[in-house]
Amino acid sequence: MKTSRLLTSLSIVALMAASSAALAQQKTLYVAGYGGSFEKTIRDEVIPTFEKENGVKVEYVAGNSTDTLAKLQAQKGNQQIDVAIVDDGPMYQAIQLGFCGKLEGLPADLYDTARFKDDRAVAIGIVATGLMYNTKVFKEKGWAPPTSWNDLKDTKYAKQLVIPPINNTYGLEALVMLSKMNGGGETNVDSGFKIFKEQINPNVLAYEPSPGKMTELFQSGQAVIAVWGTGRVQSFANTGFPVDFVYPKEGAATLLTTACPINKPNASPLAASFVKMLLDPKIQLVMLKDYGYGPVLKSLVIPPELGKMAPIGERAAKLYNPDWTVINEKREEWTKRWNREVER
């Protein structure tokens, strides 16, 4: 009898321990998103308030969009991530693969471009992909600021140009824009590959995916011009470094920063809450100030001093929206070709 009672007591203790462990697990929310200055903004401006309001611990997992998508694919059937923050191209793939849960109660004043099919994801900021240059160096050398995607071919930038590789949205959109300007586009990128291989490659110092390394190359004086996005350039300029962003005359490309709650058994409702917090007007203004994101809320009043670089108003209306349905079907093929022909 005593043995039976002892086993019962032990069973209860074990159940309580298991219950406590499960509760502790539910009280940690795993958010996967960009590193660098974006991570700092999320850690400083979003996570502390969210943790306090919801009694939850947020663990932030930094990585670029392709890294995060690869993690979701590797964890299929046993997802550890609760929220994914990635570029729009990989987000379309994540939705297609069934990784994203449905978002309820999104703001009514979202721009149409911010909405995804069935509200499986939402854009939290609008970025323009274009050109960044060192204003101080250009002034000292008497160079006019760049105005065109064709400026990437200018021989005076030999070994001073940095471009993210094609597995990064910035590099991929540069390929699409150069193809589009030369009789092609998403369905035919041959001209873009030819230009990169023959005319741009001699100028390239590095095909650099890391935001930290990109800024280091500029700070060391090795790089003076790059392909990058308004968000990255704004945050770099906020440090006091003399850089500016150029919307090429042929058009800058749209890059949406997007977020979705991960679809999995016993998904925490806090995942959707975290995504919706990123749409709060105060956070949208923080993203604009710290990171140069064009807001996704129509009703948001933007202070003039915050709208100098971000794609808002007419600048946003003129952005070129890539066809991600076509791109995602071809992306693996293009990446292999890029590694074979361009970045060797």
Side-chain angles (χ1 to χ4, degrees), residues 118-195:
D118 298 328
D119 289 335
R120 292 284 169 180
V122 66
I124 60 172
I126 305 170
V127 175
T129 297
L131 309 177
M132 172 175 76
Y133 73 103
N134 185 318
T135 56
K136 183 172 180 288
V137 170
F138 271 63
K139 187 176 180 181
E140 289 171 352
K141 291 183 178 289
W143 293 346
T147 60
S148 166
W149 289 104
N150 284 322
D151 286 321
L152 299 177
K153 301 183 286 188
D154 194 321
T155 56
K156 70 172 175 276
Y157 303 133
K159 300 303 178 186
Q160 298 177 90
L161 167 65
V162 184
I163 302 175
I166 198 175
N167 65 354
N168 183 293
T169 303
Y170 301 124
L172 188 148
E173 290 190 333
L175 174 69
V176 169
M177 294 306 293
L178 283 159
S179 301
K180 183 172 175 285
M181 289 161 52
N182 291 275
E186 290 89 336
T187 57
N188 183 359
V189 292
D190 288 347
S191 57
F193 269 101
K194 190 174 191 303
I195 290 166

Side-chain angles (χ1 to χ4, degrees), residues 29 31-35 38-39 42-43 47 58-63 85:
L29 197 74
V31 177
Y34 314 115
F38 180 88
E39 178 182 356
I42 295 295
R43 287 188 181 279
I47 290 176
V58 176
E59 291 287 349
Y60 192 87
V61 184
I85 301 172

